[in-house]
DNA sequence: TCATTTACATGCAATATGTACGTAACATAG
DNA sequence: CTATGTTACGTACATATTGCATGTAAATGA
């Protein structure tokens, strides 16, 4: 039998490891049970640490949730960026970004965390700030180009409303709604606002069961 | 000094009274502090009853929230119905219903309760079921007429996405967003989907500070 | 007026949260 | 290599909260 060797790790490594263990465990439980009905003893048990570690790394339970939500939001933003960063044509970039958004939203639990729990746990303002970046820049740009006479407030409002529609589409897809119907409807909405002629019969090629673990 | 006379009330009256006191107190606190951070002792203290009464009338804290949320949703539906029930022209009915929805959403705390707390407390499915009725029937009808070739799934999707946009508009208005900008943007969205020629410069007559206490 | 049901009050057991304090692991100066 | 400081984590505790179990008062109705 080999002797236990704690294998001297750096502080940064220790820190990153237990932080990750805590966030991973919290993610599983928050997704499964929701934030309010998940107890910190359960989180630390699953993470294999103690509550002391949790309260050392995070101010409180809400702070742990915030860290998790920020990771999720960043993963979405990165996924969209990687998909669109080298596309020149704005119209194609918008369509590609839209697809990338829906792809990113397929990872299990993400919708639950960001769209159901986050608004109540962090408040609406913080919650939308998390996903503010997600393609809304491209959206706003497209709107500004398409509606040159519209006021800034009008552009902001349209951007916000379309973002809400995007979110709802992802939510419904996650709850078993027809993905192609929602994506097509979303495409129609954006297209009409941007003044692009509608291509109504966009029957999608039925991309099979949702692929998960995107990043 | 007059003697205390308990004034023999009927069971139905007693029941209705304390139920109302509990729901009113809960409303204030849930709006102010949120569901999770509101303790039942505080609720019953403000209501002037004991926790025993609470747990006699409601299964648990969540059940109390559900009752409150259902009242709010019903108030919205009633307000819209009263405003639209005798309007024949579908297009005008839609516009009127839209305005009535935004009016109904002006009562303080309503947005917080139904759009921020409810999804996390009751779950997304129950939460949308609460407001499912709100004008979505008229919306669906209008869409069916305007897009006769569209599939049912497409109609459902568009209805849902526009509902989400309505909700977001109300949310942003409640958080200080420009009401006329959001209403106009919403009107544009619905108009374009329904194939009504846009009347872009709908600068509203600035109806002054939001009037509250609608019902 | 008596029996039964309904409405509420009180007390208790279990569990959760955040913090204070103690200990172990790492970093760094000499 | 050791001393000393700092960071990471463990343990114990005080407090608060929830839901239930059990007791009492008020209303119904026979």
């Amino acid at each position: 039998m080999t002797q236990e060797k704690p294998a001297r790790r750096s502080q940064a490594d220790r820190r990153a490891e237990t932080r990750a263990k805590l966030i991973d465990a919290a993610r599983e439980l928050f997704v499964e049970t929701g934030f309010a009905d998940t107890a910190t003893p359960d989180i630390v048990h699953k993470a294999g640490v103690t509550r002391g570690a949790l309260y050392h790394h995070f101010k409180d339970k809400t702070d742990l949730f915030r860290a998790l939500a920020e990771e999720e939001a960043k993963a979405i933003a990165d996924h969209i960026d990687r998909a669109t960063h080298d596309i020149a044509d704005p119209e194609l970039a918008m369509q590609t970004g839209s697809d990338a958004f829906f792809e990113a939203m397929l990872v299990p639990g993400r919708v639950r965390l960001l769209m159901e729990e986050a608004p109540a746990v962090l408040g609406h303002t913080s919650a939308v700030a998390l996903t503010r970046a997600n393609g809304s820049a491209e959206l706003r740009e497209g709107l500004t180009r398409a509606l040159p006479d519209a006021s800034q407030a009008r552009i902001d409002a349209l951007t916000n409303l379309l973002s809400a529609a995007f979110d709802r589409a992802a939510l419904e897809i996650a709850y078993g709604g027809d993905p192609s119907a929602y994506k097509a409807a979303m495409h129609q909405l954006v297209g009409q606002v941007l003044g692009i002629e509608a291509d109504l019969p966009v029957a999608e090629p039925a991309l099979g069961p949702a692929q998960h673990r995107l990043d």
Side-chain angles (χ1 to χ4, degrees), chain A residues 3 6 23 39 41 70 74 77-78 81 92 95 158 178-179 191 196-197 214:
Chain A
Q3 194 67 7
I23 289 184
E70 282 169 359
K74 177 159 170 33
D78 287 353
D81 284 349
L92 179 60
Q95 174 64 38
L158 282 171
D178 179 1
I196 303 167
E197 58 275 22
L214 289 172

Side-chain angles (χ1 to χ4, degrees), chain A residues 170-186:
Chain A
L171 194 46
E172 291 296 333
I173 290 172
Y175 274 90
D178 179 1
S180 56
Y182 276 99
K183 289 187 199 175
M186 204 56 235

Side-chain angles (χ1 to χ4, degrees), chain A residues 7-69:
Chain A
R8 181 183 180 93
R9 296 165 299 170
S10 81
Q11 292 283 61
D13 285 352
R14 277 183 81 186
R15 184 174 181 80
E17 265 181 54
T18 61
R19 243 186 93 95
K21 281 195 282 188
L22 278 168
I23 289 184
D24 287 353
R27 209 207 115 103
E28 279 192 55
L29 292 173
F30 287 162
V31 166
E32 200 177 328
T33 323
F35 175 81
D37 292 342
T38 298
T40 52
D42 294 342
I43 297 174
V44 299
H45 176 77
K46 176 164 288 226
V49 299
T50 64
R51 280 167 28 84
L54 195 165
Y55 283 91
H56 174 70
H57 285 279
F58 303 98
K59 179 176 163 291
D60 52 20
K61 206 177 115 182
T62 299
D63 192 42
L64 171 57
F65 180 90
R66 188 189 337 271
L68 167 58

Side-chain angles (χ1 to χ4, degrees), chain A residues 64-145:
Chain A
L64 171 57
F65 180 90
R66 188 189 337 271
L68 167 58
E70 282 169 359
E71 278 195 5
E72 296 290 325
K74 177 159 170 33
I76 297 168
D78 287 353
H79 187 72
I80 296 177
D81 284 349
R82 277 197 296 271
T84 59
H85 73 90
D86 53 358
I87 296 181
D89 176 47
E91 190 173 322
L92 179 60
M94 167 127 284
Q95 174 64 38
T96 306
S98 168
D99 290 345
F101 169 77
F102 286 120
E103 270 178 25
M105 281 307 187
L106 286 178
V107 358
R110 193 162 274 179
V111 163
R112 171 93 194 255
L113 292 172
L114 289 181
M115 316 239 170
E116 292 193 72
E117 300 284 339
V121 176
L122 306 178
H124 166 252
T125 307
S126 303
V128 303
L130 278 179
T131 56
R132 176 74 67 191
N134 291 342
S136 66
E138 293 90 328
L139 199 51
R140 189 182 312 271
E141 190 188 354
L143 285 168
T144 307
R145 201 188 338 260

